[in-house]
Amino acid sequence: MDLVKITEGATKLYVPDKNKYKLDSSMPVFFNDVMKLNRDITVEILKKYFNKKKFKFLDLLSASGAKGIRISNEIKTSEGVFNDANISATKLIKKNAKLNGLNVTVFNNSANKLLKSDKSMYDFIDIDPFGTPIEFLESSIARLKKNGILGVTATDTSALVGTYPKACMRKYQSKNMRTFFMFEVAIRILIKKVLDEANKQKISLIPIFSHSSNHYIRVYFKRVNYLNNYSDRICTLNYCTNCLNYKLTKKFSKSKRRCSCGSYFFQLGPMYSEEIYDKDFVKKLEDINKTILLIKKESQINSFGYYDYHKIAKKIQKKELSKIDDIIDNIIKKGYSASRTHFSNTGIKTDMKIKSFMNILKR
């Protein structure tokens, strides 16, 4: 395997030479430099959450070990356990650990076999697969300590955003279609699925941080005392494609619901209805990148969804638009909260209703 030496964060890594290998399953050990954002945010979240306390983590699908090696190297109070079914990957993990002077544990096993045979409990478990994380949820949740953190990545975004509704239903048991705030819907469907799996084990999880970046979805969950109100946190999204109005209900209706415009709502979900961030925790994070900076602002706004003003303007046939910052200023002048959102360069997070937002655009 042809390797190159790079530095990411404060960590040195040997990774496959991207000039020699395609970024796909043919790569001898998978490494994606675009996922640096994912790794940066993971390290920052764990630094602030554990706050210099000792913690044990499992990098379940380690590949090159880049994320876990960075955690071990950049957070000295961590104890790292790595696993990958690819023997070439485990050799590279050990090489990267030695490069950084780290003492870590490395397993060469399939993820679920490891979790079922090794009865260790972990303070942080990372699930970062190629595709859907579903097959790893049950075993991972069972090995998570109370107050522990579960990091879940999904790269099958075409299903989660509604491009392929049948795939979304098959994998996540949620009805879906593309909406103007589809990336937030994707996160809420993923959260619902993870909570489903936890609830089967009488375990409760709450999301403390979420983001949608570079064609993947990422959510961090905290294990908390068991909550009896699981169903209260799940909703149906009623979405009107005619006027773009939407509202939440607790359950699917057997009969069609009409929107105030006269058209029928499409019923989507079930999905998570509560906050997708822990606002107080988000405030503690350093502004290490634009994603965190934007989330710090948007997480303070109590609203479901966001408005993609380009898509909405196209719907109302408004061709000339004000700059996004001017639109946000106009919303705030009306007495509402508003900010840019990390979900989209043309997205606005606000507690203003859709009809009022359209009136702002029409000016």
Side-chain angles (χ1 to χ4, degrees), residues 8 10-14 43 55 57 59 62 64-82 90-106:
E8 187 178 285
T11 303
K12 296 175 182 178
L13 296 166
Y14 287 114
V43 171
F55 68 96
F57 74 86
D59 189 352
S62 299
S64 67
K67 185 183 292 181
I69 294 294
R70 283 196 58 187
I71 295 169
S72 294
N73 188 52
E74 297 174 35
I75 310 177
K76 299 303 183 183
T77 55
S78 65
E79 177 188 346
V81 179
F82 296 72
T90 57
K91 289 179 180 178
L92 183 54
I93 293 164
K94 292 175 182 177
K95 187 178 181 72
N96 278 323
K98 185 177 180 181
L99 177 64
N100 290 277
L102 301 172
N103 182 22
V104 300
T105 301
V106 183

Side-chain angles (χ1 to χ4, degrees), residues 21 51 53-54 80-81 120 135 140 155 185 281 309 329 362:
Y21 305 106
N51 193 25
K53 295 177 183 177
K54 291 183 178 181
V81 179
S120 299
E135 65 179 295
S140 296
T155 61
V185 168
F281 177 70
Y309 80 105
D329 287 342
K362 288 176 182 177

Side-chain angles (χ1 to χ4, degrees), residues 157-356:
T157 51
S158 57
L160 284 165
V161 302
T163 302
Y164 298 112
K166 289 182 180 179
C168 187
M169 178 60 74
R170 184 180 70 253
K171 295 177 181 180
Y172 297 95
Q173 292 75 56
S174 287
K175 190 174 182 180
N176 201 8
M177 64 185 294
R178 290 173 71 91
T179 65
F180 60 79
F181 50 100
M182 59 187 177
F183 295 107
E184 184 173 326
V185 168
I187 280 180
R188 292 181 178 279
I189 288 175
L190 176 60
I191 292 173
K192 187 274 304 182
K193 180 61 179 177
V194 175
L195 266 55
D196 277 349
E197 294 302 319
N199 197 54
K200 291 175 185 177
Q201 302 180 51
K202 298 295 182 182
I203 291 173
S204 289
L205 303 173
I206 57 171
I208 62 168
F209 192 90
S210 311
H211 67 104
S212 170
S213 310
N214 301 320
H215 308 293
Y216 67 88
I217 303 296
R218 176 81 166 166
V219 184
Y220 298 82
F221 298 87
K222 176 183 177 181
R223 180 174 176 177
V224 297
N225 291 331
Y226 185 65
L227 303 171
N228 292 317
N229 65 338
Y230 167 69
S231 61
D232 292 342
R233 296 183 286 157
I234 306 300
C235 72
T236 297
L237 170 63
N238 298 270
Y239 182 75
C240 179
T241 57
N242 181 52
C243 71
L244 303 185
N245 184 30
Y246 63 94
K247 64 179 183 178
L248 306 181
T249 54
K250 283 299 176 185
K251 296 181 179 180
F252 273 77
S253 172
K254 293 182 180 179
S255 58
K256 291 184 177 181
R257 295 178 182 270
R258 278 193 184 274
C259 178
S260 58
C261 72
S263 297
Y264 287 108
F265 282 116
F266 285 88
Q267 294 185 87
L268 309 179
M271 64 185 71
Y272 188 69
S273 62
E274 303 292 308
E275 294 297 321
I276 60 176
Y277 310 103
D278 179 326
K279 296 178 181 180
D280 293 332
F281 177 70
V282 170
K283 289 178 182 178
K284 297 177 183 179
L285 301 177
E286 299 293 333
D287 299 335
I288 60 170
N289 51 50
K290 185 179 179 181
T291 298
I292 288 180
L293 188 61
L294 287 171
I295 287 174
K296 276 189 171 183
K297 295 177 181 178
E298 66 181 282
S299 64
Q300 303 305 308
I301 299 173
N302 294 318
S303 69
F304 185 108
Y306 59 91
Y307 299 142
D308 187 314
Y309 80 105
H310 276 196
K311 291 181 179 178
I312 294 173
K314 185 177 180 180
K315 181 70 176 179
I316 62 176
Q317 298 181 329
K318 175 68 174 178
K319 295 182 179 180
E320 294 184 7
L321 287 171
S322 301
K323 293 180 179 179
I324 187 169
D325 290 334
D326 292 335
I327 295 172
I328 289 171
D329 287 342
N330 287 333
I331 293 171
I332 293 172
K333 287 176 182 177
K334 290 286 185 180
Y336 298 93
S337 299
S339 78
R340 285 175 175 261
T341 172
H342 85 283
F343 286 113
S344 168
N345 289 331
T346 54
I348 297 173
K349 189 78 168 174
T350 178
D351 51 1
M352 175 180 271
K353 298 297 184 183
I354 183 67
K355 290 184 179 179
S356 299

